[in-house]
Amino acid sequence: MIYPNLSAEMSRSGYGVSDLAKAWGTTDRTARNRINGTTDITFAQCKKLRDALFSDMSLDYLFDTEPRP
């Protein structure tokens, strides 16, 4: 996964790929491709996911490609 902070927060919150897919309104495969970097994620998609599942976190933190505490 190219978004280590998103991965960590998914683990902490108990969310899986299917939860992300549901928030995005897409298939598990599409969600997996987005978080693995196979498919680009738009700003609107980042915001939609953050608002649905991680509303108390910043987009910069969640979608940073370098891990941060």
Side-chain angles (χ1 to χ4, degrees), residues 32-55:
R32 196 173 305 107
N33 286 342
R34 287 177 182 167
I35 62 175
N36 287 332
T38 305
T39 304
D40 290 336
I41 302 177
T42 67
F43 176 76
Q45 292 163 342
C46 291
K47 191 170 178 331
K48 186 174 185 177
L49 183 65
R50 191 275 315 265
D51 292 350
L53 301 178
F54 304 102
S55 60

Side-chain angles (χ1 to χ4, degrees), residues 39 53 56 61 63:
T39 304
L53 301 178
D56 59 333
Y61 167 73
F63 294 96

Side-chain angles (χ1 to χ4, degrees), residues 17-22 26-33:
V17 172
S18 51
D19 297 303
L20 275 61
K22 190 178 293 186
T26 190
T27 65
D28 287 6
R29 182 178 188 162
T30 298
R32 196 173 305 107
N33 286 342

